Amino acid sequence: MPAPYFGMFVAGERRPAHSGRSFAVHNPHDGALVAEVAEGDAADIDMAVYAAEQAAPAWAAMPGAERGDRMHRAAEILAKQMPELVDLEIAQIGRPRREMAAQLARLPEWFRYFGAVARTHEDAVPPFGGNFLDYTRRVPLGVVGHITPWNHPLLILTKKVAPSLAAGNAMVVKPSELAPITPLLLGDVLREAGVPDGVYNVVPGFGPTAGAALAAHPRIRKIDVTGGTPTGKAIGALAGGNLTRFSAELGGKAAVIVFPDVAIERAVAAALFASFIATGQTCIQGARLLVHRSIHDDVVRELVRRTNALRVGDPRDERTQVGPLVSARQRAIVERYVEIGLGEGATLAAGGRRPEGAGFDRGCYFLPTVFTNATPSMRIAQEEIFGPVVCVMPFEGEDEAIRIANGTQYGLAASVWTHDLARAHRVAHALECGVTWINDHHRIDPASPWGGFKMSGIGRENGLVAYEAYTQIRNVIVNLDDATFDWYADDGAGLRYS
Ligand code: NAD
């Protein structure tokens, strides 16, 4: 059976790219062709922006409550389509079924939360001096652009689409070239839910062509990217040329900080989850495990034992705990970093190689990997690897833990593990990062702001702050006095008090 073909999604229709070109999406488990997808470029982006511009005014004019109702409908439809979407996400990116089923089951929450915001958001009446009424109204930006990565294809897209819709914007999406299928299918869900054609458009394609054309488009009012830090910088530079609003969720090198009052089993379970979920391919991956020296050796022993016992395999299998990396390219990057770590003098305590056996022959597999005897300045402890590699480092006291945790260019997330209440908050406040979990890791909610300090990004997803970032303020100042004010009358200037 030939692989399915997916066109772009523009103005509610599936269309081929104007060039007629397409690209292949391969399954990282076995290299099989999953689909051929239309390859959009600058001309297609321009057409999609035009379609969005045609649709934007009516969507913006619709009462927020009505937009909210349609978003609630989208949540219901999405929930029904979960099994198909889960299968497709597994086929595109190779993440295990248990992960994708758990992650996608939460997507409707974003449409419900932001649908509720659309219905309930209240504007302000600032205390303007004198006999005036001042009120503000948050109005949509117009057409916005979303550039998304492959590691959580639908979740990250939804984090951008839901607040954009709630605020009344139309949008053009450039999904990752590795995972464009589910973003295209979201178009069908939104259409069925009553989102007008042209409000949500998807142009699959590559970063330097379609992505750059979207970022540089002069009629896009905001560009929101999730991707690597170099990508964020490149897109920010393009957006700056047009004074386009810009927000970016970028790379990370999260620290998991374990104080000695935490049970070894709990610390190890935390580290495994933080380091190896998504085969380590998350922006908040616990890439650096900082353990108090007094329990360091016990934690390492148990971490190595549990890492070696993880079930690596076919992501379609419900029992699989660790799937392949997304691509041969990503695996080559991880292999290179393992060589770098060894060259730097770190000790390979688990993994560090491809798994052996017939089931792994054609896939992009790599074993979960633990480095010990790593030091904070090593490249493996500084640079984002984006794979299943954790560096374990001991610390003596709280100050040292904070210093190591803060000692990278990144500042996305960290977790602090301790039962000492004062210490937990003290450390959380000292960490230079946008998200800190205390006794947890990688917990997310549509209401809870998400984003990075330093080179991990600009702006925040989730919460009211995300909704507001998809609006602009219209300020209306009303003179409540009917008397004529005449500045140029002889006594006019004296009548004006501001
Ligand atoms: P990537 O930077 O390679 O690509 C991200 C998106 O940007 C893709 O759609 C790509 O086509 C596009 N792109 C690439 N170059 C471009 C350019 N010059 N102009 C316009 N668009 C361009 O990232 P990826 O490999 O898809 O995802 C992994 C990265 O994303 C990691 O660095 C990870 O930390 C980061 N990430 C961050 C978060 C967060 O919330 N902060 C979440 C997930 C992933």
Side-chain angles (χ1 to χ4, degrees):
M1 204 172 65
Y5 169 82
F6 290 89
M8 308 181 302
F9 186 81
V10 177
E13 294 176 348
R14 288 278 160 71
R15 299 183 187 175
H18 90 285
S19 68
R21 280 207 300 267
S22 65
F23 62 98
V25 175
H26 291 283
N27 186 326
H29 162 62
D30 57 7
L33 182 63
V34 177
E36 279 288 330
V37 178
E39 182 191 330
D41 60 20
D44 300 295
I45 290 286
D46 200 47
M47 184 183 61
V49 170
Y50 178 77
E53 283 173 332
Q54 302 310 300
W59 183 243
M62 191 180 283
E66 175 61 27
R67 286 200 301 267
D69 283 350
R70 294 179 195 213
M71 292 179 69
H72 278 79
R73 238 175 281 153
E76 282 159 24
I77 297 164
L78 202 50
K80 286 198 199 106
Q81 297 195 354
M82 234 19 113
E84 183 199 355
L85 295 172
V86 167
D87 283 347
L88 278 167
E89 295 254 277
I90 295 169
Q92 292 181 119
I93 61 170
R95 284 187 57 185
R97 180 172 299 285
R98 47 171 25 214
E99 291 183 12
M100 292 331 287
Q103 181 171 97
L104 266 54
R106 300 210 45 210
L107 293 184
E109 291 177 45
W110 267 260
F111 286 98
R112 291 196 190 102
Y113 173 84
F114 283 104
V117 173
R119 170 177 281 274
T120 59
H121 192 271
E122 294 180 10
D123 286 306
V125 183
F128 202 101
N131 198 18
F132 293 90
L133 166 67
D134 183 12
Y135 63 92
T136 62
R137 302 194 70 192
R138 285 198 174 268
V139 297
L141 298 174
V143 178
V144 297
H146 302 318
I147 298 181
T148 57
W150 49 266
N151 63 335
H152 315 283
L154 267 183
L155 174 69
I156 287 175
L157 179 61
T158 298
K159 284 161 75 182
K160 302 186 191 304
V161 168
S164 310
L165 284 176
N169 298 286
M171 64 212 72
V172 177
V173 175
K174 206 302 278 174
S176 167
E177 54 275 27
L178 297 177
I181 302 170
T182 46
L184 286 164
L185 295 186
L186 183 62
D188 299 330
V189 171
L190 296 175
R191 190 157 198 259
E192 194 183 335
V195 175
D197 291 346
V199 169
Y200 176 84
N201 307 279
V202 184
V203 178
F206 294 93
T209 49
L214 183 58
H217 201 289
R219 300 199 311 277
I220 289 283
R221 301 290 174 233
K222 170 172 170 140
I223 192 91
D224 186 345
V225 56
T226 298
T229 295
T231 300
K233 288 181 181 176
I235 291 174
L238 292 172
N242 296 315
L243 291 186
T244 304
R245 288 173 181 73
F246 169 65
S247 69
E249 306 291 329
L250 307 175
K253 194 76 181 175
V256 174
I257 306 171
V258 182
F259 286 96
D261 60 328
V262 177
I264 303 294
E265 312 79 71
R266 192 172 189 202
V268 169
L272 286 170
F273 179 74
S275 303
F276 300 137
I277 193 87
T279 317
Q281 302 164 115
T282 74
C283 49
I284 49 76
Q285 186 218 10
R288 298 177 297 153
L289 177 60
L290 312 187
V291 188
H292 192 268
R293 194 175 289 284
S294 65
I295 58 167
H296 172 271
D297 292 355
D298 291 343
V299 167
V300 165
R301 199 173 307 113
E302 185 59 6
L303 178 65
V304 168
R305 185 187 73 76
R306 297 258 343 248
T307 299
N308 287 330
L310 290 173
R311 291 188 297 272
V312 181
D314 186 338
R316 290 167 302 185
D317 185 338
E318 306 240 345
R319 279 178 47 79
T320 292
Q321 293 172 316
V322 181
L325 288 154
V326 74
S327 63
R329 181 177 166 272
Q330 197 67 30
R331 179 170 61 182
I333 292 171
V334 174
E335 289 180 330
R336 176 85 190 105
Y337 272 106
V338 169
E339 276 173 32
I340 290 170
L342 289 171
E344 289 176 308
T347 305
L348 198 51
R353 60 179 177 81
R354 301 179 185 189
E356 284 154 13
F360 301 114
D361 282 357
R362 284 177 295 149
C364 308
Y365 286 91
F366 196 78
L367 287 175
T369 296
V370 178
F371 269 119
T372 55
N373 292 320
T375 57
S377 60
M378 287 180 179
R379 285 184 62 191
I380 55 167
Q382 286 289 325
E383 298 173 18
E384 185 180 50
I385 299 174
F386 224 58
V389 180
V390 58
C391 302
V392 193
M393 291 178 276
F395 68 85
E396 298 286 352
E398 195 176 302
D399 289 347
E400 188 185 11
I402 293 166
R403 205 166 45 247
I404 298 172
N406 286 343
T408 76
Q409 64 163 332
Y410 296 110
L412 186 55
S415 59
V416 183
W417 295 79
T418 179
H419 303 296
D420 179 333
L421 195 62
R423 164 171 280 168
H425 289 279
R426 204 164 52 229
V427 174
H429 296 181
L431 291 173
E432 293 166 354
C433 57
V435 185
T436 301
W437 296 278
I438 294 174
N439 297 331
D440 210 335
H441 199 96
H442 204 162
R443 189 77 58 178
I444 176 171
D445 190 276
S448 170
W450 175 281
F453 285 15
K454 303 195 285 189
M455 288 295 135
S456 287
I458 291 179
R460 292 294 178 270
E461 289 178 332
N462 297 343
L464 288 178
V465 68
Y467 168 85
E468 289 174 353
Y470 277 100
T471 65
Q472 52 195 332
I473 290 179
R474 172 176 289 141
N475 191 16
V476 181
I477 300 159
V478 188
N479 182 356
L480 298 175
D481 191 342
D482 281 336
T484 300
F485 160 65
D486 184 356
W487 176 265
Y488 293 105
D490 286 344
D491 61 349
L495 296 174
R496 176 123 190 174
Y497 41 79
S498 64

